[in-house]
Amino acid sequence: MNAAKKLASAIALAAVVATPALAGPDDDNLMINEELNMVTETAAPAHLQDAFDTIYSGWRFRTDETQALQIDDFENPAMIFVDQALEYFETVDGTEGKSCSSCHEDGPEQFAGLSATMPKVIGGKLTTMEDLLNAHRAKAMGAEPWKWSGPEMQAMVALIGLQSRGMPMNVAIDGEAAPFWEKGKEMYYTRYGQLELSCANCHEDSYGMMIRADHLSQGQINGFPTYRLKQAKLISKHNRFRGCIRDTRAHTFAEGSDEFRALELYVASRSNGLSVETPAVRQ
Amino acid sequence: MQLTRRDTLALGLGAAALTLLPFRASASLADDKIAEFTGGAPVGEGGVTLTAPEIAENGNTVPIGVEAPGAVSIMVLAAGNPRPEVATFNFGPLAGAHSASTRIRLAGTQDVIAVAKMADGSFAKASATVKVTIGGCGG
Amino acid sequence: MASGVKPRVKVPKKASAGDTITIKTLISHKMESGQRKDKSGNVIPRSIINRFVCEFNGETVIDVTLDPAISTNPFFEFEAKVPESGEFTFTWYDDDGDVYTTSKKIEAS
């Protein structure tokens, strides 16, 4: 990037990140249902140590009122959708006359730990939870695929994710995953859009600062799908990626694209060590 | 139609006035609702507690709580919303306390008002200003 | 709206007779305010839950009138007296005439 371009993007960033006011992580401790202690702050994973000493959950950047919505499952509006997913789990759909529970007789509990390791490479393909669900719907149930960010899909992703709540995020980045991870990393540091902003400009260089009236977090995805107060529903990881890239005034990638799969793996790896918070509540 | 710079400016001003109008007008709308609730009786201060955040991260979901020992009912208003009514809590014989919490929508920074009707027919009021922030990117 | 409306209530299973307990309720509902417009500029008609009632053995605990300023997926928290063993009933009334109910038993000793 030439000097003029660099200056232009610095100004663009300064325009959104108005003041270097302190808006960093608070000191609150996240305990859910008075029993489940969550790791919202831990040493950065090895691959990230050039960028951060410590990684923080997005929960730590929220106001007390927003934080409170996540500390009790009866306060957490996302749980409505988790309840709905429990019904979908038992509902027969497709040509084979089967529900999820026809094969997975032990219920969603048997998936404890799975979401903490997703996305992962299965059969040479980088696979997200959404991919896994639709693959099983097609193969075992003969059912139509669910829309990526549709209410059924994200409710089910949340239900499966909940089974890993409290476990540390632990996605693999080596071996078969390495090329996908490298691609995702490259995307993370690529400046997109007319504002020429990369993920890193906000969530690595500027976390803890204000972006307009909001607190910039590290952009961790250990709580997704997350109930966003703005939309008052569960928001998928890819929907959030799309929103971020759109806000740089760029043509964005599609939900369920290979680009976003790779980015999901890389961003998830930046959360390695934080507790799975699914389903989290954010502003 | 060809727009001149002046026309455009005037349009902008008109739009700005329109945006401001509902907020200004509804201060009296809230007063009307209070009068309706009290039947014009005087409204005292004290005896009602309204809990609301000073700053709301998103106006879509703002947690509030009201409490008025001895109240028959408590009406909640958002003075700056296009329509000020929010909710009215009527307490029955098995209410364990004359208190309740809920989550409300606020169209912008404004006053939230709680008016309690006491068992003796008197009325009391409390209010709190809630700043509603515009989000960053997620807005 | 009727499809997918799902109430959640939290009531302790046991209490001492005469105790005051905390109840939390959450129900899935869009609470369409009647203030929004669709992409072609037409007002999206109001469709909300307009009343919520909690009773214990037929006696009222709380009776709430809801207006469109109540958030999507309405949440309430309130206190109830438990004079004896019995059943709490929770009823939500939708603008479209639908009524959603659920109940919870409590044992008072």
Side-chain angles (χ1 to χ4, degrees):
Chain A
M1 186 161 39
N2 65 37
K5 243 184 156 182
K6 218 178 233 173
L7 182 66
S9 67
I11 291 169
L13 182 62
V16 264
V17 185
T19 42
L22 281 181
D26 65 15
D27 294 326
D28 294 341
N29 182 37
L30 176 54
M31 168 93 81
I32 294 180
N33 300 335
E34 296 178 356
E35 58 179 26
L36 184 60
N37 209 0
M38 308 289 276
V39 175
T40 59
E41 167 180 352
T42 191
H47 71 83
L48 203 54
Q49 275 170 2
D50 286 344
F52 295 141
D53 294 330
T54 310
I55 51 173
Y56 299 96
S57 157
W59 184 83
R60 296 277 295 278
F61 295 82
R62 307 276 51 97
T63 61
D64 289 350
E65 289 81 12
T66 307
Q67 286 181 335
L69 299 177
Q70 205 185 315
I71 62 172
D72 177 326
D73 284 350
F74 273 88
E75 304 261 344
N76 186 338
M79 289 301 168
I80 292 172
F81 306 102
V82 169
D83 275 359
Q84 285 173 357
L86 274 171
E87 276 181 17
Y88 304 148
F89 201 87
E90 305 291 334
T91 306
V92 171
D93 196 3
T95 55
E96 303 301 306
K98 283 182 181 173
S99 68
C100 305
S101 64
S102 308
C103 297
H104 305 288
E105 289 171 9
D106 297 332
E109 292 80 8
Q110 68 181 276
F111 299 113
L114 179 61
S115 295
T117 64
M118 298 293 286
K120 67 167 103 178
V121 180
I122 301 174
K125 193 178 176 323
L126 182 60
T127 306
T128 67
M129 187 57 72
E130 286 88 347
D131 293 322
L132 213 51
L133 289 169
N134 269 345
H136 281 229
R137 285 177 61 76
K139 209 166 57 183
M141 298 166 69
E144 291 293 311
W146 275 332
K147 202 168 162 259
W148 198 276
S149 286
E152 297 89 356
M153 176 65 95
Q154 290 309 316
M156 191 60 80
V157 176
L159 172 64
I160 305 297
L162 175 65
Q163 312 309 317
S164 303
R165 191 168 65 173
M167 298 179 186
M169 287 287 295
N170 184 25
V171 297
I173 65 173
D174 52 2
E176 280 187 292
F180 299 104
W181 184 81
E182 290 292 347
K183 182 181 170 188
K185 181 176 181 182
E186 192 191 326
M187 286 180 72
Y188 196 88
Y189 289 97
T190 300
R191 290 172 181 267
Y192 289 101
Q194 291 177 323
L195 295 182
E196 296 195 36
L197 290 172
S198 71
C199 306
N201 289 141
C202 287
H203 295 292
E204 184 171 297
D205 304 340
S206 311
Y207 84 90
M209 292 205 256
M210 301 295 284
I211 182 158
R212 300 207 293 180
D214 208 347
H215 295 193
L216 264 174
S217 73
Q218 290 181 342
Q220 304 288 6
I221 55 172
N222 52 312
F224 276 80
T226 199
Y227 185 92
R228 286 189 89 218
L229 302 181
K230 182 192 174 197
Q231 288 98 343
K233 63 175 187 178
L234 285 175
I235 298 300
S236 70
K237 299 178 188 105
H238 289 199
N239 182 278
R240 193 64 280 234
F241 291 162
R242 203 168 58 100
C244 267
I245 294 190
R246 177 204 58 211
D247 291 342
T248 69
R249 300 188 194 161
H251 286 292
T252 180
F253 303 98
E255 295 173 0
S257 61
D258 285 342
E259 287 85 356
F260 276 169
R261 280 190 186 87
L263 185 61
E264 179 179 333
L265 172 63
Y266 177 68
V267 179
S269 79
R270 293 171 70 98
S271 302
N272 273 354
L274 292 174
S275 297
V276 174
E277 285 181 30
T278 309
V281 182
R282 300 288 185 260
Q283 76 285 18
Chain B
M1 185 175 88
Q2 196 177 342
L3 283 178
T4 64
R5 200 175 71 93
R6 189 165 297 172
D7 287 339
T8 318
L9 196 64
L11 269 175
L13 282 175
L18 270 176
T19 325
L20 288 172
L21 243 168
F23 284 84
R24 243 194 265 148
S26 54
S28 62
L29 277 181
D31 289 343
D32 291 350
K33 287 291 162 194
I34 294 173
E36 221 172 88
F37 185 64
T38 61
V43 180
E45 302 279 333
V48 196
T49 314
L50 170 64
T51 312
E54 203 177 315
I55 295 173
E57 280 187 298
N58 195 297
N60 252 344
T61 312
V62 183
I64 60 136
V66 289
E67 179 163 25
V72 179
S73 57
I74 305 176
M75 179 179 66
V76 179
L77 299 170
N81 275 1
R83 290 183 48 195
E85 312 93 306
V86 174
T88 304
F89 300 95
N90 302 294
F91 300 102
L94 287 184
H98 300 99
S99 69
S101 303
T102 187
R103 297 167 187 162
I104 71 172
R105 293 169 170 155
L106 297 177
T109 295
Q110 58 178 287
D111 286 339
V112 177
I113 304 166
V115 186
K117 181 181 184 181
M118 301 303 182
D120 64 4
S122 68
F123 292 90
K125 182 171 85 127
S127 67
T129 304
V130 180
K131 289 189 189 108
V132 176
T133 64
I134 44 161
C137 299
Chain C
M1 182 66 207
S3 74
V5 173
K6 181 118 187 128
R8 272 171 74 83
V9 297
K10 186 189 195 182
V11 177
K13 286 192 175 65
K14 286 178 183 173
S16 300
D19 264 8
T20 291
I21 59 158
T22 300
I23 294 177
K24 293 178 184 181
T25 71
L26 193 58
I27 190 165
S28 58
H29 199 286
K30 269 187 101 74
M31 296 294 283
E32 189 59 60
S33 68
Q35 299 285 334
R36 299 198 309 157
K37 287 179 178 169
D38 64 17
K39 279 176 184 145
S40 17
N42 304 312
V43 171
I44 305 170
R46 170 185 141 150
S47 172
I48 69 166
I49 288 173
N50 56 54
R51 186 177 171 211
F52 164 69
V53 180
C54 169
E55 291 179 329
F56 181 72
N57 291 348
E59 264 200 288
T60 306
V61 176
I62 198 167
D63 184 338
V64 188
T65 308
L66 288 75
D67 290 293
I70 293 290
S71 303
T72 305
N73 306 326
F75 168 86
F76 292 111
E77 180 177 340
F78 51 92
E79 314 268 311
K81 276 184 222 157
V82 186
E84 72 251 341
S85 292
E87 191 173 58
F88 282 101
T89 58
F90 304 89
T91 316
W92 292 261
Y93 298 86
D94 196 307
D95 272 353
D96 67 11
D98 281 331
V99 175
Y100 320 108
T101 57
T102 188
S103 57
K104 286 273 174 182
K105 286 196 167 67
I106 186 166
E107 205 177 294
S109 51

